[in-house]
Amino acid sequence: MRALKLTERFKSTQVHALNSSDTSEISEASERSRYRIQSFGSKPKSRINSISEIDKNLPFPLPSSDSIEPSIDPYLKPVNLAETLSDLYSRLENCPQSRKSLLCIEQYSLLRGLGDQKLLRRCLRTARQNADDIPTKIVLSAWLRLERREDEFVGVSSMDCNGYILECPKANLVSGYSPCLVTSRCHCLHQPNQDFITISEERVSLLDEESDVSFCIGNEEINCVRYKIAALSEPFKAMLYGGFAESQMRKIEFSLNGISLEAMRAVEIYSRTKRLDLFCVETVLELLTFSNRFCCEEMKSDCDAHLASSVGNLEDALILIHYGLEEGASLLVGSCLQVLLRELPNSLYNSRVSKIFCSSEAKESLASVGYASFFLYYFLSQVAMEESMASKTTLMLLERLGEFAVEKWQKALAFHQLGCVLIERKEYKEAQHYFEAAAEAGHVYSMAGVARTKNKQGQPYSAYKLISSIIFEHKPAGWMYQERALYNIGKEKCFDLDFATELDPSLSFPYKYRALAKVEEKQIKAGISELDRIIGFKLSPDCLELRCWLFISVGDYKSAMRDVRALLTLEPNYVTSHGNIKAEYLHMLLTQKVQSKSLADLWMQLYEQWSAVDDIGSLAIIHQMLENELGNSLLEFRQSLLLLRLNCQKAAIRSLRLARNHSSSIQERLIYEGWILYDTGYREEALARAERSISIQRSFEAFFLKAYVLADANPDPVSSSNIILHLEEALKCPSDGLRKGQALNNLGSILVDCGKLDLAKECYTNALAIRHTRAHQGLARVYHQKNQRKSAFDEMTKLIEKAVNNASAYEKRSEYSDREMAKSDLDVATQLDPLRTYPYRYRAAVMMDEQKETEAVEELSRAINFKPDLQMLHLRAAFYESMGDLTSALQDCQAALCLDPNHTDTLNLYRRTQKSSL
């Protein structure tokens, strides 16, 4: 969850709380806002702002630059991530099987700060692959399901098997490690249902004749076979064949043993048939209790398994889990727990579910059957934090997490997150205690939380000294200077924030502060430009929101509407930090100021924005088009493509889910399911979906999906021909110019790979004819392949002139320039998008060529400190190897392999360096 912590009066509440009181507070706040905000010309008279003339168009005065502050990130943030990942990889290489799942979850925790959903899913899958006990399998399977948010799929039940062993609810209830691939298929869907044959009356009659003992309950007698009953347990064996009086009796009084007549008859039938499918759930529950009382282990195990298989929904789980806990039926508890977890996050709003997980008594009951664990509470607490940082439920789950934390990283995580939640709840003294505990466990970043809570308690100088000591003791990082700036003033504050941006340009707070500082100097356009800098490479909701307010303040409602539409696309339930109102309501107010357009006009505008490579503008137009065509799956699909291009993976997958749910035909739904599977790592299944869609109806999108998936696998000449064929088939099918331009662009790329340059040029030229501007890049590549570097350079210059987002164009043009021009272009690319890694690698390689080894390593290290990229780690490892620093080379190889354990070049370098170091 992205919490936007500004001043006390502008406190952010971005998500619905888990309890009803929290939810009502948000609702009441929104309603109060509706009363206060009548138009953009009115403001509360009680609010006084020194820049009131700037605020004339705002429903609220802008916050001052000194009143805002960044949130404390609620995840592990090592001072040296590369070194930490290296150590983890070394442990993963040498750990026993039983430890692998836990280490993978530690890896997940360390990588969360990178925000790469594919990396995180891979960690969870590997953890599930190596799980060897039922509790761990259940948690990790539910976690994987939630990451893909299958709960939002229409027509899909939480207990449905998606066809893969790693997430199959039945496979989770089988104990023991069973090696399987991520893509290993589950066969439970193909197993025929076994219709059990009931015992015939003739057989029952025959068995009655063999009975030699009767158990009397009230006035009724249940005829039994003595040795069959004796075989149920040692106590029965002793009673019926030992020195007890019952061993000589034909009739045994059993009325006072707490079992009903129906259940005793079931015991008799079970003793001869070993079957439970003949009885209702209530009877089997009574047999379970009976089994515990008389130590009938086999019958207890069978009852446990039978009841576990009968849990089908949340209500069943809530009822049966208490029986399972009381009777120690671990499989039944696991089956119930699995339903509760696979219903997340919705089940967490159920008070009965919360009680099971949150209360200390329930925790002890779960622990008694082996289901309360760090794994369980880590998963639950992450879900709760995403729903509401400040809710009581979140706090209690994190307290349970802390109780199960054993290793240092676990304690650091649990205590740090407790501190983050408590600071949101304004319980600063308690938050300070937990931040200090996390820091004591080795998490240096938690000292930022200690400083923040000290400042909140009126100790700003103590906070300043604390962060200054951190800067002195450790290698400087962007967050350190950002944090110290909060307790600084004047030029020192500006220096700290500028240096924070230099060390880590992805931090959004310095840009926001500088923007507001410029606004206070009545330089609003300069403030907007400051926000443009970060929004150009990182679509941050808080920066979009602030830019929207600045546009409103200068009366540029059209640009403000663009930003609020983009904001709602990223987070539909976003609550603004400024004014604490729903973004939906802000959007409604802006509609009074911005003239609506027809659908035809919107399509024309979308072509213009798409042609200008203005992804945010395109996103806003699609949001407006969806208002006119609610539930249009094609538009939702286009929305997902733009979000992926903007590196907003979660929002992109959400749009794909909506497209899938709103699809008008099976053929269309298969396409969107295919894209979801592809984006979540199931390549083969995505291919199968495309083929099934084509078998129903030939369509542009189905052929395009199949070609795209095939092209992802480094195709050989044979498969390249197949990809070309599918793209050509796609182009024969009806579609609009936007998609056909993309298909022509992709086709040109494959043709270049195959050496068919004239055909590729024709494709790119046709794409440009329908305003697919990105085709300039492909055309430049064709010219380069033909040794026409000047033409290639000119083609990229055209793209730079047309594109709004042109960092990649500058980067690509550098390939067709001389060294000085290339360096200039790459410097511009870094200014526009400091997260692009190629410029750093190029500059470092040039330095190595010039024998400037130290400077080359520093160039890479500068970027690795805020973006530990696989390629940069690999290159730095190669530099270290060439310099003879094998220890550092090994460390970087291990860190890179922690990001991708199958990266061939790094594996080769790692093995070579290992041999050299012996």
Side-chain angles (χ1 to χ4, degrees):
M1 190 192 76
R2 303 180 184 90
L4 302 178
K5 190 83 169 68
L6 300 184
T7 60
E8 305 279 329
R9 55 183 181 152
F10 296 130
K11 178 133 174 41
S12 170
T13 310
Q14 291 191 35
V15 291
H16 295 296
L18 294 177
N19 49 22
S20 58
S21 61
D22 290 339
T23 308
S24 64
E25 287 173 10
I26 295 175
S27 177
E28 289 169 8
S30 297
E31 289 303 313
R32 288 196 296 272
S33 297
R34 290 174 187 269
Y35 272 101
R36 290 202 303 263
I37 308 173
Q38 300 301 323
S39 71
F40 282 114
S42 62
K43 316 187 280 291
K45 292 182 181 179
S46 59
R47 296 262 182 125
I48 299 173
N49 196 309
S50 60
I51 51 172
S52 57
E53 66 273 17
I54 293 174
D55 296 329
K56 63 182 182 297
N57 295 317
L58 291 171
F60 297 103
L62 283 171
S64 67
S65 57
D66 290 327
S67 69
I68 63 171
E69 63 183 34
S71 60
I72 303 290
D73 293 327
Y75 45 75
L76 294 180
K77 186 183 281 193
V79 172
N80 190 328
L81 182 58
E83 182 180 326
T84 306
L85 291 177
S86 169
D87 172 69
L88 178 60
Y89 183 79
S90 180
R91 286 185 282 138
L92 275 165
E93 272 192 306
N94 302 300
C95 74
Q97 178 62 48
S98 59
R99 290 268 306 161
K100 280 196 174 179
S101 286
L102 187 59
L103 287 174
C104 288
I105 292 302
E106 182 179 352
Q107 183 184 23
Y108 173 91
S109 303
L110 290 170
L111 296 177
R112 275 195 69 205
L114 302 183
D116 189 327
Q117 298 304 311
K118 291 184 178 180
L119 268 182
L120 298 180
R121 274 194 293 270
R122 199 194 66 226
C123 292
L124 291 176
R125 284 179 186 145
T126 308
R128 171 61 185 86
Q129 279 179 290
N130 290 282
D132 58 2
D133 62 277
I134 291 173
T136 303
K137 289 180 181 180
I138 286 171
V139 171
L140 292 173
S141 176
W143 206 332
L144 281 166
R145 184 179 189 277
L146 185 71
E147 283 290 309
R148 202 169 51 256
R149 295 306 300 247
E150 276 197 15
D151 59 295
E152 296 182 11
F153 283 171
V154 171
V156 175
S157 165
S158 63
M159 296 304 287
D160 287 346
C161 175
N162 69 348
Y164 295 97
I165 289 177
L166 293 187
E167 296 180 49
C168 174
K170 292 182 180 178
N172 294 331
L173 297 177
V174 179
S175 184
Y177 169 68
S178 53
C180 63
L181 299 173
V182 170
T183 54
S184 293
R185 302 289 295 171
C186 179
H187 301 294
C188 71
L189 297 175
H190 308 293
Q191 293 172 352
N193 293 325
Q194 296 180 358
D195 296 322
F196 292 104
I197 303 170
T198 58
I199 300 176
S200 66
E201 292 183 6
E202 182 182 354
R203 178 61 176 156
V204 171
S205 175
L206 179 62
L207 293 175
D208 283 344
E209 292 176 1
E210 297 171 353
S211 63
D212 54 358
V213 66
S214 299
F215 287 84
C216 303
I217 297 178
N219 297 323
E220 298 288 337
E221 295 181 8
I222 297 95
N223 297 321
C224 303
V225 179
R226 184 180 292 269
Y227 81 90
K228 293 283 189 182
I229 297 296
L232 292 176
S233 70
E234 288 300 318
F236 273 121
K237 183 178 180 181
M239 180 180 74
L240 295 174
Y241 286 106
F244 294 92
E246 285 84 354
S247 64
Q248 306 300 318
M249 292 180 179
R250 168 73 183 178
K251 294 183 180 180
I252 299 172
E253 178 59 41
F254 220 62
S255 298
L256 301 179
N257 283 286
I259 186 169
S260 68
L261 182 65
E262 292 77 9
M264 194 62 211
R265 283 178 177 150
V267 170
E268 186 276 326
I269 294 173
Y270 175 82
S271 71
R272 289 178 288 171
T273 65
K274 304 299 180 187
R275 289 177 56 190
L276 295 169
D277 57 296
L278 306 169
F279 316 121
C280 65
V281 170
E282 290 77 8
T283 300
V284 178
L285 284 170
E286 199 170 349
L287 290 184
L288 179 63
T289 304
F290 179 89
S291 300
N292 267 332
R293 186 173 300 156
F294 291 98
C295 304
C296 306
E297 296 302 326
E298 183 184 5
M299 185 160 71
K300 177 183 177 179
S301 178
D302 289 348
C303 288
D304 191 7
H306 180 82
L307 289 167
S309 68
S310 68
V311 182
N313 54 53
L314 186 63
E315 194 59 34
D316 290 344
L318 287 169
I319 293 170
L320 293 174
I321 194 170
H322 296 292
Y323 287 98
L325 291 170
E326 187 175 341
E327 300 297 340
S330 61
L331 205 59
L332 174 58
V333 172
S335 184
C336 295
L337 193 63
Q338 178 163 241
V339 173
L340 302 184
L341 295 180
R342 290 171 75 93
E343 290 280 354
L344 288 170
N346 296 329
S347 60
L348 211 53
Y349 289 86
N350 187 310
S351 59
R352 293 155 68 191
V353 173
S354 297
K355 187 175 180 181
I356 288 170
F357 294 126
C358 295
S359 68
S360 56
E361 298 82 4
K363 180 209 74 173
E364 291 169 4
S365 298
L366 285 171
S368 69
V369 289
Y371 282 95
S373 65
F374 182 83
F375 272 109
L376 173 65
Y377 282 101
Y378 187 16
F379 176 41
L380 289 169
S381 61
Q382 299 319 295
V383 176
M385 288 173 71
E386 287 184 8
E387 295 297 299
S388 170
M389 279 289 285
S391 75
K392 184 68 175 176
T393 301
T394 303
L395 181 62
M396 289 190 290
L397 288 172
L398 282 169
E399 288 172 345
R400 301 289 86 79
L401 180 68
E403 292 166 7
F404 284 98
V406 177
E407 300 183 10
K408 287 184 71 175
W409 75 268
Q410 296 174 346
K411 292 178 181 179
L413 177 70
F415 296 150
H416 180 76
Q417 292 188 335
L418 269 166
C420 291
V421 166
L422 287 164
I423 207 171
E424 281 290 313
R425 293 168 63 88
K426 300 183 182 180
E427 299 174 26
Y428 302 124
K429 188 174 182 180
E430 294 81 357
Q432 180 181 339
H433 165 74
Y434 281 111
F435 281 130
E436 288 172 342
E440 189 176 339
H443 191 227
V444 176
Y445 176 62
S446 291
M447 296 303 288
V450 176
R452 195 74 64 89
T453 53
K454 281 177 177 287
N455 186 51
K456 293 291 185 183
Q457 296 174 80
Q459 305 169 42
Y461 183 61
S462 178
Y464 175 84
K465 286 199 303 181
L466 180 61
I467 297 301
S468 293
S469 69
I470 296 297
I471 292 172
F472 179 76
E473 294 168 9
H474 298 275
K475 186 176 181 179
W479 66 263
M480 297 177 188
Y481 285 89
Q482 173 180 272
E483 191 65 29
R484 192 174 71 172
L486 299 178
Y487 322 118
N488 235 327
I489 58 173
K491 291 182 179 179
E492 289 79 7
K493 187 185 190 83
C494 293
F495 169 81
D496 277 350
L497 288 175
D498 289 345
F499 197 47
T501 297
E502 185 178 332
L503 291 172
D504 185 354
S506 67
L507 295 171
S508 62
F509 173 74
Y511 298 91
K512 292 168 63 178
Y513 175 86
R514 288 189 290 263
L516 284 172
K518 291 180 189 300
V519 169
E520 287 165 358
E521 296 171 357
K522 300 182 182 179
Q523 300 176 33
I524 303 180
K525 289 185 179 180
I528 292 171
S529 297
E530 183 65 30
L531 293 171
D532 289 344
R533 286 176 59 197
I534 186 169
I535 292 172
F537 65 88
K538 181 183 177 183
L539 199 55
S540 171
D542 55 337
C543 290
L544 268 177
E545 180 203 337
L546 182 55
R547 191 172 73 171
C548 174
W549 289 115
L550 295 188
F551 278 129
I552 292 172
S553 71
V554 296
D556 187 352
Y557 301 116
K558 184 178 178 181
S559 295
M561 177 65 94
R562 177 202 62 203
D563 282 356
V564 81
R565 287 188 184 281
L567 183 60
L568 284 168
T569 303
L570 288 176
E571 296 187 18
N573 298 318
Y574 188 85
V575 176
T576 68
S577 55
H578 177 49
N580 197 27
I581 61 173
K582 284 189 174 184
E584 283 181 353
Y585 188 61
L586 179 58
H587 166 255
M588 185 185 75
L589 292 173
L590 283 166
T591 56
Q592 302 169 14
K593 299 287 184 178
V594 179
Q595 184 177 1
S596 61
K597 294 186 177 182
S598 68
L599 194 58
D601 289 338
L602 289 173
W603 271 108
M604 290 296 294
Q605 194 175 350
L606 180 60
Y607 268 90
E608 291 171 5
Q609 301 293 82
W610 199 282
S611 178
V613 197
D614 182 0
D615 295 332
I616 296 176
S618 300
L619 209 58
I621 294 167
I622 289 179
H623 181 273
Q624 187 174 359
M625 294 169 83
L626 280 167
E627 286 180 339
N628 298 329
E629 294 188 71
L630 192 63
N632 184 314
S633 58
L634 179 61
L635 290 174
E636 287 162 341
F637 173 58
R638 300 292 172 81
Q639 190 178 69
S640 73
L641 297 176
L642 283 165
L643 288 165
L644 279 175
R645 190 178 291 161
L646 289 162
N647 199 31
C648 303
Q649 295 179 36
K650 277 193 172 182
I653 294 295
R654 183 179 64 243
S655 293
L656 270 176
R657 286 194 299 271
L658 289 171
R660 181 259 184 207
N661 289 342
H662 295 145
S663 54
S664 58
S665 66
I666 295 175
Q667 173 266 339
E668 187 183 4
R669 190 187 72 195
L670 287 168
I671 293 167
Y672 302 139
E673 287 180 355
W675 280 112
I676 291 170
L677 287 161
Y678 172 76
D679 288 332
T680 52
Y682 292 106
R683 184 176 162 277
E684 293 300 324
E685 189 60 29
L687 204 56
R689 289 288 203 283
E691 289 168 349
R692 283 174 57 193
S693 180
I694 291 169
S695 69
I696 297 171
Q697 181 182 334
R698 295 163 59 84
S699 69
F700 173 91
E701 293 298 350
F703 280 115
F704 188 90
L705 170 61
K706 187 173 180 181
Y708 197 94
V709 176
L710 288 171
D712 187 49
N714 298 317
D716 54 31
V718 175
S719 55
S720 292
S721 298
N722 199 19
I723 295 166
I724 291 170
L725 177 64
H726 283 95
L727 286 171
E728 288 174 342
E729 290 298 321
L731 289 164
K732 293 176 184 176
C733 299
S735 187
D736 58 71
L738 297 177
R739 293 299 283 155
K740 291 212 169 185
Q742 184 65 60
L744 285 165
N745 198 63
N746 289 14
L747 179 56
S749 179
I750 298 295
L751 288 168
V752 171
D753 291 339
C754 296
K756 301 177 180 180
L757 300 182
D758 290 334
L759 288 174
K761 182 179 179 180
E762 184 180 347
C763 284
Y764 291 128
T765 304
N766 289 338
L768 288 170
I770 52 177
R771 303 176 67 184
H772 188 78
T773 307
R774 286 181 173 86
H776 282 297
Q777 184 168 317
L779 199 52
R781 187 180 170 208
V782 170
Y783 287 134
H784 180 62
Q785 292 284 325
K786 291 184 172 185
N787 295 317
Q788 300 173 15
R789 285 176 64 87
K790 176 67 168 59
S791 297
F793 181 90
D794 292 343
E795 205 64 39
M796 290 309 302
T797 302
K798 292 176 185 176
L799 179 55
I800 288 170
E801 291 168 351
K802 291 181 181 178
V804 172
N805 302 312
N806 53 17
S808 63
Y810 276 104
E811 180 183 296
K812 195 67 180 175
R813 190 175 73 171
S814 70
E815 297 180 20
Y816 313 128
S817 313
D818 58 43
R819 177 168 285 193
E820 285 304 312
M821 187 65 188
K823 185 178 182 301
S824 175
D825 276 351
L826 290 174
D827 288 344
V828 174
T830 297
Q831 289 175 8
L832 294 172
D833 184 354
L835 299 184
R836 301 188 74 85
T837 63
Y838 175 75
Y840 301 99
R841 290 185 280 130
Y842 177 88
R843 288 189 289 262
V846 170
M847 290 172 188
M848 283 298 285
D849 289 344
E850 297 172 349
Q851 306 298 313
K852 299 176 181 178
E853 296 176 338
T854 303
E855 292 88 339
V857 168
E858 286 176 354
E859 177 70 17
L860 290 175
S861 300
R862 182 165 67 94
I864 288 171
N865 287 338
F866 64 85
K867 186 179 174 62
D869 173 76
L870 170 69
Q871 297 291 344
M872 286 195 291
L873 285 166
H874 171 82
L875 185 58
R876 191 171 71 172
F879 286 177
Y880 278 132
E881 183 201 30
S882 69
M883 295 161 62
D885 187 351
L886 300 182
T887 301
S888 297
L890 283 171
Q891 185 179 94
D892 277 355
C893 282
Q894 289 172 331
L897 292 170
C898 206
L899 298 175
D900 183 358
N902 300 314
H903 191 252
T904 305
D905 291 342
T906 304
L907 280 169
N908 293 336
L909 176 59
Y910 183 44
R911 290 163 186 154
R912 188 171 67 243
T913 308
Q914 280 180 314
K915 287 180 181 179
S916 300
S917 63
L918 294 176

